[in-house]
Amino acid sequence: VLNINLADEDATLTLARDLARITGVGDILALRGELGTGKTAFARAFITARRGEATEVPSPTFTLVQTYDDGQAAIYHFDLFRLTKPDEALELGIEDAFADGITLIEWPERLESLLPDRRLEIDFFYGETPEARIAWINGGADWTARLAEAGLG
Ligand SMILES: Nc1ncnc2c1ncn2[C@@H]1O[C@H](COP(=O)(O)OP(=O)(O)OP(=O)(O)O)[C@@H](O)[C@H]1O
Ligand SMILES: [Mg+2]
């Protein structure tokens, strides 16, 4: 588990861009954390970095999912806060996302057992100042090597 201090929002955006560079088709990023800890801020920077151009990234609070194309892969950005049961995510096409997209999921715990084990888990916490956050990053062996490559190990 990596424990990263994010002193301000820029640090969160930089982390998102760093991870965007080592991510590819089939990857799943589970973005966990209380309301306002920066999951959507992270997703915005990640998607913009993947696309390489300014991109409007609305929070999928009500649509539950927004999709993007970065020229190499489809990016699926889920916010499952309002999911009432895990099966509802199947109707949103979450299995297609897992199979051949890059998937970012806010409130991944709503999926319960449908959340794949092969995910990179990023847990956001509030820090000691209003602008500070802490991220815990945890993935399998494959992720550990890739994180080291990105200078995050
Ligand atoms: N270090 C930081 N990293 C990320 N966001 C920060 C940071 N410091 C302050 N902020 C602010 O915190 C807020 C984070 O909001 P954001 O919508 O990204 O949270 P969220 O985790 O997606 O919440 P929700 O669970 O409601 O979807 C933004 O207003 C952002 O400007
Ligand atoms: Mg959000």
Side-chain angles (χ1 to χ4, degrees):
V1 182
L2 300 176
N3 186 341
I4 299 180
N5 274 311
L6 303 168
D8 55 23
E9 189 163 354
D10 271 350
T12 300
L13 307 187
T14 299
L15 174 65
R17 292 181 200 117
D18 287 345
L19 290 175
R21 266 191 276 110
I22 58 163
T23 300
V25 168
D27 286 337
I28 301 164
L29 273 60
L31 309 175
R32 296 181 24 136
E34 286 175 51
L35 295 170
T37 46
K39 302 179 295 296
T40 300
F42 175 99
R44 258 183 205 124
F46 182 101
I47 291 162
T48 300
R50 292 282 319 175
R51 285 175 43 78
E53 60 182 65
T55 302
E56 188 117 354
V57 180
S59 175
T61 313
F62 297 102
T63 56
L64 305 195
V65 61
Q66 298 282 342
T67 60
Y68 303 86
D69 188 334
D70 70 11
Q72 296 181 327
I75 306 174
Y76 295 75
H77 177 199
F78 291 93
D79 180 338
L80 302 181
F81 187 74
R82 288 166 189 275
L83 206 68
T84 55
K85 58 177 184 349
D87 275 2
E88 255 180 48
L90 301 176
E91 291 154 36
L92 298 171
I94 204 156
E95 289 186 311
D96 295 331
F98 292 159
D100 54 32
I102 294 172
T103 309
L104 306 177
I105 317 174
E106 300 185 40
W107 298 97
E109 50 271 63
R110 295 285 193 273
L111 287 175
E112 301 177 13
S113 62
L114 291 181
L115 182 63
D117 289 336
R118 59 175 180 90
R119 64 188 184 267
L120 183 69
E121 182 112 352
I122 307 176
D123 286 22
F124 293 99
F125 302 92
Y126 284 106
E128 291 192 334
T129 71
E131 298 77 38
R133 304 289 187 270
I134 295 155
W136 287 359
I137 304 186
N138 196 9
D142 162 59
W143 273 112
T144 304
R146 289 157 68 187
L147 292 168
E149 189 185 312
L152 294 165

